[in-house]
Amino acid sequence: MNATDNFTLGYSEYGDPNAKVLAVLPGWATDANFLKPIAELFKDEYRVLLIDMPGYGKSSHLKLFADSTRQTANLILNTLPKNSILMSWSLSTLACCRACAMDTNGKIDKYISVCGSPRFPADPNWPGFDYKYVLKCLKLFDEGKNTRSIKLFFMMQSQSSILSKENKQFMIESFDAMGDIDKDVLVAGLHKMAYADHREAFNAIKIPCLHIFGAKDRLVLPDLAKHLIQPPYHVCSVLQDSAHMPFLSEPENFKKVINLFLKNSN
């Protein structure tokens, strides 16, 4: 029995309430507000659920579970109806990989990761980021500079030269709408980013999966695509004009790649 068995995550809903569910989860230091462009892209075809992670937005009351990837995965499965399409952006990929591997009730029909990884830091045989970025963020948190730490991370992942003026403004507005997040929740996410390794769970997934990367991403390197391609279940796509937020930088290509995957994996 899991401590989260009787709980579900909070979410915002868009699109056709009678259509197939596309459930999307955000990255570190972001809530469902940051995912609205994805809902806008797919609301005509799907019932889109923008799900808040534990400690954020409509799941703020579940912050106790923010440090446990396993319990977060269980919360995801509790929240989804059967035969859902699951999409993760960035750090939520850790919990979503676990959810896919744990799913014994047909909750997840297909899985899409966006600039995510089952392990974020590099090791000798795995492309990833340098630990120093996360350690710098943790140091800023220790000094009480929470907002500065989050903005530093956003700068690294968004690469302002790629995003339009409108997209930059969208990020500012989303950040303001999110409000303050408990420091312990944010630090728990950084610890996962620095130390978690869910490659075993990833390799246990036996449903159609698409993994999207940005060619200019400095956090989740596009070279990772070579390690995640595992026919027949895992296919990858690299968007050439994107960094860590392809749904903002290349929305049309982003949607095209996903629709092609969904059509061909039936």
Side-chain angles (χ1 to χ4, degrees):
M1 181 176 181
N2 292 303
T4 51
D5 279 348
N6 296 319
F7 296 99
T8 58
L9 294 166
Y11 57 82
S12 301
E13 186 170 343
Y14 301 84
D16 183 351
N18 298 312
K20 187 179 183 71
V21 165
L22 170 63
V24 194
L25 288 97
W28 180 77
T30 64
D31 65 1
N33 287 297
F34 291 81
L35 302 175
K36 288 180 180 178
I38 297 178
E40 192 65 28
L41 286 173
F42 293 99
K43 66 181 183 180
D44 292 336
E45 298 91 3
Y46 296 97
R47 177 190 171 202
V48 184
L49 307 183
L50 304 184
I51 301 177
D52 284 312
M53 294 287 278
Y56 293 87
K58 295 181 179 181
S59 301
S60 58
H61 59 295
L62 298 170
K63 65 181 182 180
L64 174 66
F65 305 111
D67 63 348
S68 172
T69 303
R70 185 173 184 274
Q71 296 293 7
T72 301
N74 196 52
L75 286 166
I76 292 169
L77 292 173
N78 292 348
T79 307
L80 298 178
K82 285 191 174 183
N83 299 315
S84 296
I85 301 166
L86 180 64
M87 181 187 298
S88 64
W89 170 48
S90 195
L91 189 64
S92 61
T93 298
L94 295 173
C96 288
C97 282
R98 286 296 299 268
C100 288
M102 291 165 52
D103 183 18
T104 58
N105 295 313
K107 292 295 190 77
I108 304 168
D109 184 37
K110 298 178 179 67
Y111 172 50
I112 302 165
S113 70
V114 181
C115 299
S117 172
R119 172 184 167 86
F120 281 80
D123 67 26
N125 301 304
W126 188 261
F129 64 76
D130 192 316
Y131 278 103
K132 68 182 179 182
Y133 292 115
V134 174
L135 295 178
K136 186 173 183 179
C137 284
L138 284 169
K139 185 175 184 294
L140 290 172
F141 272 107
D142 289 340
E143 296 171 353
K145 301 174 182 176
N146 299 9
T147 300
R148 182 179 172 188
S149 177
I150 294 172
K151 288 184 177 179
L152 171 71
F153 189 78
F154 280 174
M155 286 174 60
M156 182 177 74
Q157 65 178 319
S158 65
Q159 293 196 30
S160 58
S161 62
I162 294 176
L163 296 182
S164 67
K165 181 179 179 180
E166 291 75 17
N167 286 334
K168 293 176 196 175
Q169 183 61 34
F170 165 77
M171 288 191 65
I172 293 170
E173 292 173 356
S174 297
F175 181 80
D176 290 341
M178 180 173 64
D180 293 333
I181 303 300
D182 188 288
K183 175 185 174 182
D184 291 341
V185 172
L186 293 167
V187 170
L190 288 175
H191 282 153
K192 289 179 185 177
M193 197 181 303
Y195 305 115
D197 188 344
H198 295 283
R199 286 178 287 187
E200 184 177 351
F202 177 88
N203 290 329
I205 298 173
K206 304 300 181 186
I207 57 173
C209 299
L210 168 66
H211 310 290
I212 299 175
F213 301 93
K216 301 176 182 179
D217 195 344
R218 293 182 295 181
L219 178 64
V220 179
L221 302 182
D223 286 350
L224 188 59
K226 301 172 186 175
H227 293 255
L228 298 190
I229 292 177
Q230 298 179 20
Y233 299 111
H234 299 276
V235 298
C236 297
S237 179
V238 179
L239 299 187
Q240 296 302 313
D241 295 321
S242 292
H244 199 62
M245 298 179 176
F247 52 89
L248 288 183
S249 51
E250 294 185 77
E252 291 183 4
N253 284 339
F254 179 78
K255 182 176 182 179
K256 181 178 179 181
V257 166
I258 289 173
N259 282 342
L260 188 63
F261 161 73
L262 294 176
K263 177 182 179 182
N264 291 338
S265 59
N266 287 332

